[in-house]
């Protein structure tokens, strides 16, 4: 089975399971950038955002020319313009992002567990970001928030 198709099937099952509950959506105000969630690369942000809004009842929490952030019951989905040309045959446009307390220690541990730590680190006033891969090659964005009171 094609790796990209397989990832898409897993993501579809994940989202269907996540949002299939009959609970009412709570209007939760996000106080800042999400600490954990999923990032999906897309060249048509409004179209994909509308899909998730209509299918799962997600709501837009922030929108820029580069991304649209959606939320449902505390789950964050960021639809982002790809920072590079996406290869059609060997790339999954879906990437987890998770917060960590110590980026360097997490990068080192990922490598020790059979994963990979990629070059490069980016920062904004709130958190810094880098990318790792798990032992199967799936990319994960890790975020280290600069707030020392961060409980993640």
């Amino acid at each position: 089975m094609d790796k990209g198709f397989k990832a898409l099937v897993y993501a579809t099952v994940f989202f269907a399971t996540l949002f299939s509950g009959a609970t009412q959506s709570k209007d939760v105000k996000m106080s800042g950038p999400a600490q954990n969630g999923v990032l999906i690369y897309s060249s048509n942000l409004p179209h994909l955002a509308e899909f998730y809004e209509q299918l799962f009842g997600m709501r837009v929490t922030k929108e820029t020319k580069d991304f649209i952030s959606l939320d449902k019951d505390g789950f964050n989905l960021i639809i982002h313009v790809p920072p590079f040309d996406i290869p059609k045959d060997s790339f999954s446009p879906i990437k987890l992002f998770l917060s960590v307390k110590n980026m360097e220690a997490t990068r080192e541990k990922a490598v020790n567990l059979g994963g990979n730590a990629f070059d490069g680190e980016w920062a904004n006033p709130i958190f810094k970001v880098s990318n790792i891969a798990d032992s199967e090659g799936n990319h994960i964005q890790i975020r280290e928030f600069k707030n020392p009171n961060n409980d993640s």
Side-chain angles (χ1 to χ4, degrees), residues 13 20 44 58 62 80 90 92 103 120 125 131 136 145 150:
V13 170
S20 65
N44 190 340
M58 298 190 85
K62 184 165 185 171
H80 201 290
S90 64
S92 173
M103 185 171 293
N131 291 296
E136 296 284 321
F145 280 74
N150 181 15

Side-chain angles (χ1 to χ4, degrees), residues 10-128:
Y10 286 131
T12 302
V13 170
F14 171 76
F15 286 120
T17 303
L18 184 65
F19 299 123
S20 65
T23 60
Q24 292 290 332
S25 175
K26 295 176 185 170
D27 190 24
V28 177
K29 236 358 173 189
M30 291 187 65
S31 61
Q35 293 187 20
N36 304 295
V38 173
L39 186 139
I40 300 177
Y41 291 120
S42 173
S43 57
N44 190 340
L45 303 181
H47 177 73
L48 194 55
E50 184 178 339
F51 174 87
Y52 284 98
E53 285 178 277
Q54 290 186 15
L55 186 61
F56 299 115
M58 298 190 85
R59 64 180 184 80
V60 173
T61 58
K62 184 165 185 171
E63 185 170 352
T64 72
K65 68 179 182 66
D66 294 324
F67 72 89
I68 297 175
S69 180
L70 300 127
D71 180 81
K72 167 112 181 189
D73 299 327
F75 177 80
N76 187 239
L77 176 111
I78 298 174
I79 303 169
H80 201 290
V81 173
F84 49 83
D85 290 332
I86 295 179
K88 299 290 185 210
D89 57 348
S90 64
F91 180 80
S92 173
I94 298 173
K95 176 169 51 171
L96 291 174
F97 64 89
L98 300 164
S99 294
V100 298
K101 289 184 187 251
N102 184 309
M103 185 171 293
E104 283 309 312
T106 302
R107 292 170 55 81
E108 187 176 315
K109 188 170 184 178
V111 171
N112 290 337
L113 292 170
N116 195 3
F118 300 106
D119 290 337
E121 183 178 292
W122 304 267
N124 63 39
I126 302 168
F127 60 87
K128 61 183 179 177

